[in-house]
Amino acid sequence: MNKNEQRIIEKVKAEIAKGNLDNISRTVFYHQYNIRNPEIKWSYLAGYVSRNAGWAMTDLCSKPYQQLLNGSLRKRLFMAYERANWLIFSDAFPQLLIYEQSKRDGEPYFHLLSHFGVSQWIVKKWCEFWRKKNEEKLLVAQIVNEQAIIQKPVIDQAFYRKYVFKTSAFKWQDRLHFSTVLFPTKEGQIFGCSVHNFTQIEKRVELGRKLAWILFHAPEREALRQFHESVVHSGSRHDYQQFSARRYPKTPILRWAFPVVRHNREYDDDWVDYLGFNPNRLVVPLELVKKYNLTDWYEGKVNQLQMAAIVERFYNWVSDRTFNKKESRLRKTK
């Protein structure tokens, strides 16, 4: 490397360290990047999905989740969300910044991405984009790449697999489609899609493609962008629930609820070798999504969650009373 390339690498590393502090900083960095480089459509999608990750994290502090899930499971779920989103940022943001520097200087620096553990597959997609400027193809390729990057260290990692993704609580959430990405508007409407079988990369990529269609092709896309650009991300669902007349379970601001987590990433084998399939088959054009207005659906799911919490609370109350009666009879017998 020459001195200019060394300077670029150090500059990118410093920016990543600042941006990858927590969910709030990631969301802000994605948003600011998209303002500077709107042709990189994935950064807009990533900013919206990052908002949803923050909302999912603070859900764990709401009363219904506290009643339904024990403390250790809620901590593990938070770490799974946090780890996945930290890894995606650590992989994606070098790509974004290297592209931005290349655009600024008028020459491609994508060969430098090997210093950040970026897959050669997506490096080739960036080189192709540099020549052909196919924005949608790069968008879908980035969706594939960032879902692939979390497969081994999070989805298939032994601890998370056993204590998060194979737990009955996670399967319950997966079956009921509580794992949903929401795109709100300031008019109180909610759009988005759910993912079923979250642990399968094909399903997550399919979800990403549907979400991208909504953001870039749906008739409501301007209202969605207006929300994203004007509502500051706090990590609390109050960000969008404030525009609805309905009362929802309260969730806290993220930085009040969770500490900053320190992560490490080992640049091991390229994920293409690990997954063992041709990722090009997933890079296909976006398709029309027919059902994506989730306003009424979301209200129903919130009601389901609250009802489940009420049932759980009643069950615990009955169990405690039964236990106390047995204890009382035993004491009288003695």
Side-chain angles (χ1 to χ4, degrees):
M1 290 187 298
N2 57 43
K3 289 184 178 180
N4 181 52
E5 291 176 333
Q6 290 176 343
R7 178 186 62 80
I8 291 171
I9 288 176
E10 292 305 314
K11 180 181 177 182
V12 169
K13 286 181 177 179
E15 284 294 298
I16 294 169
K18 285 194 297 182
N20 213 358
L21 184 68
D22 62 9
N23 173 264
I24 302 295
S25 62
R26 288 173 211 128
T27 306
V28 169
F29 269 59
Y30 284 135
H31 177 56
Q32 292 175 341
Y33 184 90
N34 183 249
I35 292 172
R36 300 194 306 269
N37 305 278
E39 71 276 17
I40 306 303
K41 298 180 181 298
W42 183 86
S43 58
Y44 176 39
L45 172 63
Y48 240 132
V49 173
S50 185
R51 283 179 181 259
N52 278 265
W55 297 334
M57 290 174 184
T58 57
D59 277 348
L60 299 171
C61 301
S62 67
K63 283 187 177 180
Y65 276 86
Q66 288 178 335
Q67 290 164 352
L68 289 167
L69 307 177
N70 63 51
S72 60
L73 179 55
R74 282 187 281 116
K75 287 180 181 179
R76 294 196 296 269
L77 282 166
F78 165 72
M79 281 305 302
Y81 292 138
E82 167 66 16
R83 180 64 175 166
N85 285 270
W86 184 91
L87 283 167
I88 288 173
F89 190 96
S90 72
D91 185 77
F93 224 69
Q95 300 173 44
L96 301 181
L97 293 177
I98 289 294
Y99 165 75
E100 190 172 42
Q101 187 67 48
S102 299
K103 187 173 74 168
R104 190 179 297 120
D105 292 353
E107 60 175 303
Y109 294 117
F110 301 120
H111 60 285
L112 299 180
L113 289 173
S114 60
H115 294 274
F116 299 92
V118 175
S119 170
Q120 285 302 304
W121 180 80
I122 195 65
V123 171
K124 292 176 182 177
K125 300 302 180 185
W126 276 106
C127 293
E128 181 181 336
F129 173 74
W130 184 259
R131 298 191 309 271
K132 300 182 179 179
K133 308 303 180 188
N134 189 325
E135 296 177 8
E136 185 175 298
K137 189 172 183 180
L138 178 65
L139 162 65
V140 179
Q142 287 179 282
I143 292 171
V144 173
N145 184 74
E146 301 316 327
Q147 291 307 317
I149 202 70
I150 66 172
Q151 190 68 32
K152 183 178 180 179
V154 179
I155 307 299
D156 293 338
Q157 200 267 352
F159 178 85
Y160 290 122
R161 192 168 189 81
K162 181 177 180 181
Y163 293 107
V164 175
F165 300 117
K166 285 194 172 183
T167 62
S168 58
F170 185 85
K171 292 176 182 178
W172 163 79
Q173 177 175 287
D174 188 45
R175 285 195 301 273
L176 293 179
H177 293 284
F178 284 112
S179 299
T180 305
V181 177
L182 304 179
F183 297 149
T185 71
K186 294 176 74 174
E187 291 71 40
Q189 290 185 300
I190 297 173
F191 302 92
C193 290
S194 295
V195 59
H196 185 52
N197 293 328
F198 176 84
T199 56
Q200 297 179 17
I201 183 175
E202 293 87 352
K203 294 294 184 180
R204 300 197 306 276
V205 170
E206 180 184 356
L207 173 66
R209 291 174 57 249
K210 288 180 178 179
L211 297 173
W213 183 91
I214 296 169
L215 289 182
F216 296 108
H217 298 290
E220 301 83 4
R221 58 187 179 276
E222 291 304 320
L224 300 178
R225 185 172 284 277
Q226 184 185 32
F227 175 91
H228 187 64
E229 292 182 351
S230 61
V231 178
V232 175
H233 177 59
S234 71
S236 169
R237 290 196 185 272
H238 179 72
D239 294 347
Y240 67 89
Q241 290 174 350
Q242 63 182 308
F243 300 108
S244 172
R246 190 188 190 283
R247 294 184 64 183
Y248 291 96
K250 292 183 179 180
T251 60
I253 292 173
L254 187 136
R255 284 180 171 167
W256 293 357
F258 298 106
V260 171
V261 179
R262 300 297 178 186
H263 299 266
N264 289 306
R265 178 184 172 190
E266 305 213 353
Y267 300 137
D268 49 10
D269 297 336
D270 195 311
W271 60 257
V272 175
D273 300 326
Y274 169 72
L275 292 180
F277 69 84
N278 182 6
N280 289 318
R281 67 180 174 83
L282 299 179
V283 184
V284 295
L286 303 180
E287 297 176 348
L288 171 70
V289 179
K290 295 181 179 179
K291 295 181 180 181
Y292 59 91
N293 189 328
L294 303 182
T295 308
D296 294 335
W297 178 92
Y298 177 68
E299 297 242 338
K301 289 300 174 184
V302 172
N303 289 336
Q304 279 185 301
L305 182 65
Q306 291 178 306
M307 185 57 66
I310 291 171
V311 171
E312 181 70 13
R313 189 163 64 246
F314 178 74
Y315 173 79
N316 290 335
W317 178 79
V318 171
S319 298
D320 289 342
R321 281 180 62 86
T322 303
F323 177 78
N324 290 335
K325 285 181 179 179
K326 288 181 179 179
E327 285 284 295
S328 177
R329 284 199 297 268
L330 285 172
R331 283 197 296 267
K332 288 179 180 179
T333 303
K334 291 179 180 178

